[in-house]
Amino acid sequence: MCGIVAYIGSRDAAPILLEGLARLEYRGYDSAGIAVAAKGAGQGSGQASLKVRKSKGRVAELAAQVPARFAGKTGIGHTRWATHGVPSDVNSHPHLDQSGRIAVVHNGIIENADELRAKLQSDGVVFTSETDTEVLGHLIAALATEGVELEDAVRAALKRIVGTYGIAVLDAEQPDRIVVARNGSPIVLGIGEKEMFAASDVSALVRYTRQVVHLDDGELATVRADGFNTFTQEDARATAKQPSIVDWEEASYDTAGHAHFLVKEIHEQPTSVERTLSGRIDERFSTAHLGGLNMDAREARAFRR
Ligand code: GLU
């Protein structure tokens, strides 16, 4: 399970996505990619199209491939930790449908991917990657091309998925929004000034905003430059979310002068252990209290695994 970053606003998305992905590097990954939606520049079509760059390797290598002019004010990015298919350029996210209209980034595992892939292939869909994620792009696109709103298409596609996901979806035809969803893999929204962010981890957002909204499992959000709305996967019922303020220092999300995150974490161990144990150790009785385990001895003994 790796990293997701998304941006929508008045700035070009690519540099913000690349910066956010670099902040997620500490999680480890094997490849990275971005997609941005841009008005069909120079074609006079007035239609939006997607620009995609993705490759195996480091975020810095991806950044080197992104041209200086990579215009698009709505975009999604990903660092991948391969579960289905080897680390490679084609298996990197974002994954697109056949027409190149829908782009998806995904953290997690789609358990019934083989079954869905076989069904889509029998309908004539040609796959370009070995990933479980690619089925999502095709499922969403099939509905979006029928004129279904992006959020409804995403919700309907997710109904067919068994597994875990944090996703961000971009539609070339509806670049005024990004749709994100969470089930077992975190998604957090970041609220800016006439711009919005989304990520799998606040560390990708703290440079831009401290105002965040954590999605719950089974929840989706439509994110626009001027705000967002959240709703349930089950029945599209609107949910009410209160933004919270991240009060951590930006240094908490970087190496704080150490050569590597590993070194920083080693130095943090005494404080981390102290924090973990505080309130759980009762010196008077030389014992520990583990909150949350509200079961009696008979229940505890009944566990077989
Ligand atoms: N299962 C997906 C893949 O293998 C996503 C992996 C991830 O969470 O990075 O491409």
Side-chain angles (χ1 to χ4, degrees):
M1 217 172 278
C2 226
I4 289 178
V5 187
Y7 173 81
I8 182 161
S10 53
R11 296 190 263 174
D12 269 336
I16 295 168
L17 298 174
L18 292 167
E19 150 76 25
L21 292 180
R23 297 256 164 185
L24 297 178
E25 286 194 296
Y26 75 95
R27 298 178 60 90
Y29 64 103
D30 53 60
S31 48
I34 60 170
V36 302
K39 289 258 182 282
Q43 296 156 25
S45 62
Q47 285 193 333
S49 60
L50 295 184
K51 292 181 189 155
V52 183
R53 287 291 185 284
K54 56 182 194 168
S55 60
K56 185 178 159 185
R58 316 302 299 169
V59 172
E61 292 167 56
L62 170 70
Q65 291 173 37
V66 176
R69 227 189 114 52
F70 201 69
K73 309 206 181 297
T74 311
I76 58 178
H78 190 254
T79 47
R80 175 177 188 237
W81 185 280
T83 65
H84 288 56
V86 296
S88 67
D89 293 352
V90 279
N91 286 339
S92 311
H93 299 211
H95 287 288
L96 275 64
D97 70 300
Q98 292 186 106
S99 69
R101 169 180 169 174
I102 301 288
V104 181
V105 291
H106 165 227
N107 287 347
I109 290 175
I110 299 173
E111 284 162 23
N112 59 340
D114 290 347
E115 194 183 311
L116 291 169
R117 176 183 281 256
K119 170 83 183 71
L120 286 160
Q121 280 170 332
S122 72
D123 293 342
V125 173
V126 178
F127 279 72
T128 51
S129 81
E130 300 163 307
T131 64
D132 50 342
T133 305
E134 192 181 339
V135 297
L136 267 177
H138 298 303
L139 289 172
I140 296 166
L143 294 162
T145 35
E146 284 172 13
V148 175
E149 289 278 313
L150 184 60
E151 32 283 87
D152 296 331
V154 172
R155 212 168 62 79
L158 291 178
K159 275 206 152 70
R160 299 181 59 184
I161 299 290
V162 179
T164 54
Y165 49 80
I167 58 165
V169 184
L170 182 62
D171 179 357
E173 304 282 332
Q174 300 174 68
D176 61 335
R177 71 194 77 172
I178 291 165
V179 175
V180 294
R182 166 185 172 148
N183 185 42
S185 185
I187 293 286
V188 54
L189 312 182
I191 304 168
E193 280 286 315
K194 299 198 182 80
E195 60 184 359
M196 286 284 300
F197 308 82
S200 52
D201 184 330
V202 280
S203 57
L205 307 179
V206 282
R207 175 149 182 222
Y208 301 106
T209 179
R210 294 293 167 98
Q211 234 192 324
V212 301
V213 169
H214 293 271
L215 291 195
D216 289 315
D217 279 340
E219 210 169 29
L220 287 84
T222 303
V223 183
R224 297 172 190 270
D226 60 359
F228 68 95
N229 59 288
T230 54
F231 47 97
T232 59
Q233 160 67 27
E234 181 67 23
D235 51 8
R237 189 170 32 83
T239 51
K241 306 296 280 189
Q242 279 307 322
S244 54
I245 305 295
V246 182
D247 56 4
W248 291 30
E249 289 304 314
E250 201 172 324
S252 312
Y253 299 98
D254 62 31
T255 54
H258 296 287
H260 303 282
F261 277 102
L262 181 65
V263 179
K264 182 186 174 206
E265 284 166 13
I266 289 169
H267 284 280
E268 283 173 354
Q269 279 175 6
T271 342
S272 302
V273 172
E274 196 180 317
R275 278 198 197 130
T276 309
L277 295 180
S278 69
R280 297 194 165 102
I281 300 288
D282 190 338
E283 284 180 41
R284 281 174 311 159
F285 302 107
S286 304
T287 185
H289 297 289
L290 300 179
L293 289 176
N294 299 321
M295 63 185 73
D296 60 29
R298 194 177 47 86
E299 284 174 299
R301 274 198 303 270
F303 279 116
R304 286 291 159 263
R305 303 204 300 173

